[in-house]
Amino acid sequence: MSGHGFHVHGPHDHAVEHAAHSDDKFAGNIAVTTAILATVGALFGYQGGATQNEAAMFKNNAAIDKTQAANSWAFYQSKSSKQNLAELAMILPGADTEKYKAEVARYKTEKEEIKKDAEKAEASSAEWNKKSDAAMHTHHQWALATTAVQIAISLAAITLLTHRKWLLYTSYAVAAAGIVLGICAGAHVDPLAFLGGGAHH
């Protein structure tokens, strides 16, 4: 699977193409099933690529906010240093006490605003990271669903070559599993977590 779409290619492609033009009803049904599964797989592959891009965008937003938080904390430290100097200057002989007292008060007020901005940026970064992790989890589910559909298509193609019905039933079972996984990915539900008593959102 790739982020550019879904494609299954191999020697069995000729067998599927031949079946589509033959009068063999069994082979014709498999060819139609394979075409349907290829379409479903293409949709799953597209969704997988979209969620991967979404996860990368969220991670980038988290990094931007993290940098903003770091800059705010550096600014906060700078104000703390200036406040300390002003407090020290207040006790020096002959110092303008009222002037430095006003500066200390101003630095304290400025520091509170900077602190709020830093904490807000940190919280936003954490939220973006959480969204990125969730999107990446969904991407893995789409990838798993797409892989299952790919395997089902390969099994169906092998059935055309061998005419083994048990292979066809296996193909149907794997395809059904893939479709269920795709539905779960679209609904943002983790089947394993759901079976264990919880769901992933």
Side-chain angles (χ1 to χ4, degrees):
M1 191 195 84
S2 72
H4 300 291
F6 173 91
H7 183 66
V8 175
H9 183 74
H12 57 263
D13 285 347
H14 299 293
V16 173
E17 187 179 345
H18 175 73
H21 299 290
S22 73
D23 294 326
D24 186 344
K25 188 177 179 182
F26 177 74
N29 287 340
I30 295 175
V32 171
T33 299
T34 301
I36 292 171
L37 289 178
T39 302
V40 171
L43 292 172
F44 287 179
Y46 172 80
Q47 289 295 335
T51 50
Q52 187 176 33
N53 291 337
E54 197 174 57
M57 183 184 70
F58 291 159
K59 188 64 75 176
N60 184 61
N61 289 344
I64 291 171
D65 283 344
K66 193 70 176 176
T67 301
Q68 183 179 332
N71 290 338
S72 293
W73 283 123
F75 194 32
Y76 180 90
Q77 287 301 119
S78 173
K79 291 293 182 181
S80 291
S81 297
K82 289 180 180 179
Q83 180 186 329
N84 292 337
L85 288 174
E87 289 171 345
L88 181 62
M90 281 172 56
I91 62 174
L92 293 175
D96 186 345
T97 307
E98 291 304 314
K99 172 191 171 185
Y100 289 116
K101 190 180 288 186
E103 284 189 6
V104 168
R106 177 167 60 86
Y107 289 136
K108 281 183 179 179
T109 302
E110 290 175 350
K111 278 169 60 182
E112 281 304 310
E113 290 301 316
I114 295 168
K115 183 181 178 183
K116 286 178 184 177
D117 289 342
E119 290 175 342
K120 184 178 178 182
E122 282 185 337
S124 179
S125 177
E127 187 62 30
W128 282 122
N129 272 321
K130 186 178 178 182
K131 287 181 179 180
S132 177
D133 291 343
M136 204 61 197
H137 182 81
T138 302
H139 163 70
H140 290 145
Q141 287 183 279
W142 283 120
L144 192 59
T146 305
T147 300
V149 172
Q150 286 178 324
I151 293 170
I153 291 173
S154 295
L155 288 172
I158 294 170
T159 302
L160 278 176
L161 301 173
T162 63
H163 286 81
R164 301 292 175 90
K165 282 198 171 184
W166 67 267
L167 271 175
L168 181 61
Y169 297 140
T170 302
S171 172
Y172 287 159
V174 175
I179 290 169
V180 168
L181 286 170
I183 291 171
C184 287
H188 299 285
V189 173
D190 186 341
L192 296 178
F194 183 76
L195 292 173
H200 178 85
H201 296 286

